[in-house]
Amino acid sequence: MRVSQRYIYRQILLAVLFVSIGFLALFFFFDTVSELSFAGRNNHDYSPSSAMLYVGLLLPSHAYELLPITVLIGSIYVMSSMAQSSEFTILRTSGLSPAQALRTLLWLGLGFAVLTFVLGDYVAPASERMAQQQKAAIEGKLTTGRTGAWMKERLGDHDRIVNVQELLPTGEMRQVRIFDFNPQGLLQEVIRAESATLEGEHWQLRQVERSTVIPDNERQQLDRAIQDSMPLATTIRQDMVSSALLDPDRMSTLDLYTYINHLQSNKQSAQSYQIKFWHKVFYPFSCLVMMMLALPFAYLHFRSGAISSAVFGGVIVGISFFLLNNVFGYIGNVNGWMPWLAALTPSLIYTAISLAAFAWLVRNR
């Protein structure tokens, strides 16, 4: 059985590698064409080589997103080819039971799951950060949309909202606005600063304009003051600003967990981030689901030329799985479902479908 396992593993690994290289080459080509349209037009420092370097640094993120699909396509192709050439039938007559076949593919799927986790939690975030820093070094800033990053913190009996428009590669924050509210929820002070840096346990604001509301019996007064610099005690750290500026899909599991705790400690809604967190946790195990979806194809009888149809059907099944995964994420966010349930349900549904198809084929074929 070890010889047959090594043979199956080698065939699937080669097929998955070939499919992954093909998909990554397509993504690299289309992303490069898209980036080259900006090179030299909006910024003369953004050369074609810089654009290709930026696109190359995004490949680990694409590999993380594509790996379950490439595992499914490669596995279906190998299982269908072995069924067509009667290799799998020979392995069955040699003593390969359905339980052993399932266990063999699950062990390989577990290896792909570990690879997916490493790509998603270590390689892809690091390369994504390098890509953003490389592009920010040319453009001069890291920003999100028109409004920047918004964060909230609880300070004793009052709230504070902080807005950062830009984050430079050096760690300097630009165009900072701070809104302090009193315990009754009324605006108490507005601080505007041209820049801010993290120094020890506080922010050092520069070119500061403070507008303080002075309560009065008849009417409120506004006191304005301009300072060259001032320290600001805050619990918001630079990595939280980076997290607020980045897409949650690009964050590591630990970064998501830290940011969720920050949101919850300041009584902010973290539902969407919690769903992303649990999706990040369960996503590597989708490789196991893909393996179970591919195994029933080994028990089908293929005629000449039918493998392409099987692979196409497998691609459709894989796409439907990821569509359902995204749909359940949105539905869970809107309806307030438990985050882990919204993230896990699609995997449970497709696991049940694949096991039911596998059991029916084993019994009837």
Side-chain angles (χ1 to χ4, degrees):
M1 287 299 105
R2 290 184 178 180
V3 175
S4 62
Q5 288 178 354
R6 286 197 297 268
Y7 177 74
I8 294 174
Y9 288 169
R10 183 172 63 254
Q11 295 298 318
I12 293 179
L13 287 173
L14 289 174
V16 171
L17 179 62
F18 177 79
V19 175
S20 299
I21 292 175
F23 272 110
L24 290 177
L26 284 175
F27 272 86
F28 182 81
F29 173 76
F30 289 122
D31 288 348
T32 301
V33 170
S34 177
E35 286 297 319
L36 286 177
S37 64
F38 296 99
R41 188 178 67 181
N42 298 329
N43 192 331
H44 293 288
D45 294 331
Y46 195 41
S47 62
S49 59
S50 299
M52 294 184 68
L53 176 60
Y54 173 75
V55 172
L57 289 172
L58 295 181
L59 287 180
S61 298
H62 291 317
Y64 168 72
E65 296 167 352
L66 290 171
L67 190 56
I69 295 180
T70 58
V71 166
L72 176 64
I73 296 174
S75 300
I76 288 178
Y77 175 78
V78 171
M79 294 293 103
S80 302
S81 299
M82 293 180 69
Q84 185 186 42
S85 61
S86 300
E87 288 179 281
F88 198 80
T89 302
I90 295 172
L91 291 177
R92 290 173 60 190
T93 56
S94 301
L96 182 65
S97 65
Q100 289 175 330
L102 179 60
R103 186 166 60 249
T104 298
L105 290 191
L106 286 181
W107 275 112
L108 184 57
L110 186 61
F112 282 122
V114 172
L115 177 60
T116 304
F117 174 78
V118 172
L119 280 174
D121 253 50
Y122 296 99
V123 181
S127 65
E128 181 83 15
R129 195 176 300 112
M130 291 174 60
Q132 296 296 339
Q133 290 175 351
Q134 184 259 348
K135 198 169 186 179
I138 297 173
E139 296 181 348
K141 61 183 178 179
L142 172 63
T143 183
T144 173
R146 296 182 178 179
T147 61
W150 290 87
M151 293 153 288
K152 178 184 176 183
E153 63 174 336
R154 184 75 176 175
L155 299 172
D157 58 352
H158 68 280
D159 293 327
R160 170 180 289 166
I161 295 178
V162 178
N163 173 238
V164 178
Q165 290 287 326
E166 300 171 359
L167 178 64
L168 302 185
T170 58
E172 182 182 5
M173 294 166 281
R174 302 293 300 273
Q175 302 297 323
V176 180
R177 292 185 294 172
I178 301 161
F179 304 88
D180 283 330
F181 297 85
N182 61 22
Q184 288 74 38
L186 301 177
L187 185 62
Q188 179 176 331
E189 186 178 44
V190 178
I191 301 175
R192 292 180 174 88
E194 288 294 324
S195 63
T197 54
L198 179 63
E199 297 183 4
E201 297 296 325
H202 67 275
W203 286 9
Q204 188 66 34
L205 306 179
R206 295 177 179 84
Q207 301 298 316
V208 184
E209 178 185 343
R210 301 181 65 179
S211 301
T212 306
V213 178
I214 302 176
D216 197 346
N217 293 331
E218 297 181 358
R219 59 179 182 178
Q220 293 181 336
Q221 297 181 358
L222 191 64
D223 179 46
R224 291 184 177 178
I226 296 177
Q227 302 174 230
D228 291 335
S229 64
M230 66 167 285
L232 179 74
T234 178
T235 58
I236 298 176
R237 297 292 173 255
Q238 186 178 335
D239 57 344
M240 296 180 184
V241 179
S242 301
S243 299
L245 287 169
L246 291 175
D247 187 348
D249 291 328
R250 306 301 186 188
M251 298 166 61
S252 67
T253 307
L254 182 59
D255 290 339
L256 273 172
Y257 181 77
T258 303
Y259 193 63
I260 288 170
N261 286 338
H262 167 72
L263 293 176
Q264 291 178 333
S265 63
N266 291 284
K267 302 186 184 303
Q268 292 179 269
S269 175
Q271 178 77 8
S272 60
Y273 285 92
Q274 287 176 322
I275 292 177
K276 292 291 184 183
F277 170 78
W278 286 108
H279 179 265
K280 197 90 174 179
V281 170
F282 293 128
Y283 186 76
F285 295 101
S286 59
C287 292
L288 297 174
V289 179
M290 298 298 105
M291 282 295 185
M292 286 187 285
L293 285 172
L295 182 57
F297 286 85
Y299 289 84
L300 298 175
H301 299 293
F302 291 96
R303 296 179 180 177
S304 178
I307 295 181
S308 58
S309 301
V311 173
F312 178 76
V315 172
I316 298 301
V317 171
I319 292 174
S320 67
F321 171 77
F322 288 99
L323 284 176
L324 190 65
N325 222 350
N326 292 329
V327 168
F328 266 79
Y330 292 124
I331 293 176
N333 191 22
V334 171
N335 295 325
W337 292 356
M338 287 185 289
W340 65 268
L341 183 62
L344 185 60
T345 300
S347 297
L348 294 178
I349 292 174
Y350 275 76
T351 299
I353 292 174
S354 60
L355 290 178
F358 175 62
W360 184 86
L361 286 170
V362 169
R363 183 177 302 175
N364 295 278
R365 296 296 183 97

